Amino acid sequence: MIKYCLAYIIGTILSTFTINALAESNHSSIVKNSDVDACVDKSSNIDSECLNSVSKRSEKELNDVYKDKLKEISTFDFSQWWMGEKDRREGMKQAFIHSQELWLKYRTEYCKTASTGSEGVDGYGAAVLSCQINLAKRRIEEIKMIHPELSDG
């Protein structure tokens, strides 16, 4: 009986340490980004040229993926859908365009919220940019998951 109790106590202690270590290692922040951090670390001051380059690269990637998906939707052979009609494809296209417009507004407001604690300090712009880049990466993955052929991937 003592063996089982001792094994239970040791197991409990080990799992507590494992859970705490995992929680600490998974602590991430939407307002931290390695590319932005590299620009900040590059010089003692905020390197606006570097940050601008990182921002442009992120926006270009997002826009390229968006335009590619829009083209894919726009040229999709809607006759593959059951009782497929051109109007349904146009509806999908318009919904996709509208969702991107809404997402861009969402990103602005979300990053404003997420970076509020940095307002008024030198790192505020970097925090906002980090958030925008991180959300853009997530959005790119979302866009890639849209498949017009039966919309089921």
Side-chain angles (χ1 to χ4, degrees):
M1 180 73 166
I2 293 176
K3 283 184 189 178
Y4 295 117
C5 288
L6 187 57
Y8 176 77
I9 292 170
I10 291 173
T12 303
I13 292 170
L14 287 176
S15 25
T16 302
F17 284 119
T18 304
I19 290 169
N20 287 340
L22 184 60
E24 288 173 13
S25 69
N26 285 338
H27 179 71
S28 61
S29 173
I30 198 72
V31 295
K32 295 298 275 176
N33 178 274
S34 59
D35 293 334
V36 172
D37 288 346
C39 287
V40 172
D41 293 344
K42 191 174 172 181
S43 65
S44 57
N45 296 326
I46 303 283
D47 186 346
S48 60
E49 188 176 312
C50 181
L51 291 174
N52 189 35
S53 174
V54 168
S55 176
K56 283 183 178 180
R57 186 171 59 241
S58 172
E59 289 303 299
K60 181 180 180 336
E61 184 180 0
L62 175 62
N63 287 328
D64 287 350
V65 169
Y66 170 76
K67 287 176 185 175
D68 289 347
K69 188 58 70 173
L70 185 60
K71 183 178 179 183
E72 179 185 348
I73 292 169
S74 298
T75 60
F76 181 72
D77 178 12
F78 56 86
S79 67
Q80 292 182 38
W81 293 331
W82 183 75
M83 297 183 66
E85 297 173 355
K86 188 175 183 177
D87 289 345
R88 283 177 51 201
R89 180 182 67 192
E90 186 61 27
M92 181 181 193
K93 176 183 164 186
Q94 292 306 316
F96 180 63
I97 291 168
H98 186 67
S99 75
Q100 186 68 3
E101 291 167 352
L102 291 173
W103 181 84
L104 290 167
K105 290 176 185 175
Y106 162 79
R107 179 178 69 167
T108 299
E109 294 303 314
Y110 182 89
C111 289
K112 187 177 184 180
T113 301
S115 60
T116 298
S118 299
E119 263 185 80
V121 298
D122 287 340
Y124 178 66
V128 173
L129 180 58
S130 292
C131 178
Q132 291 173 342
I133 291 170
N134 290 333
L135 287 181
K137 287 179 181 179
R138 291 177 181 185
R139 179 63 176 170
I140 287 168
E141 293 307 312
E142 290 172 1
I143 290 172
K144 288 179 177 179
M145 288 189 276
I146 298 171
H147 302 283
E149 66 282 344
L150 303 179
S151 294
D152 69 352

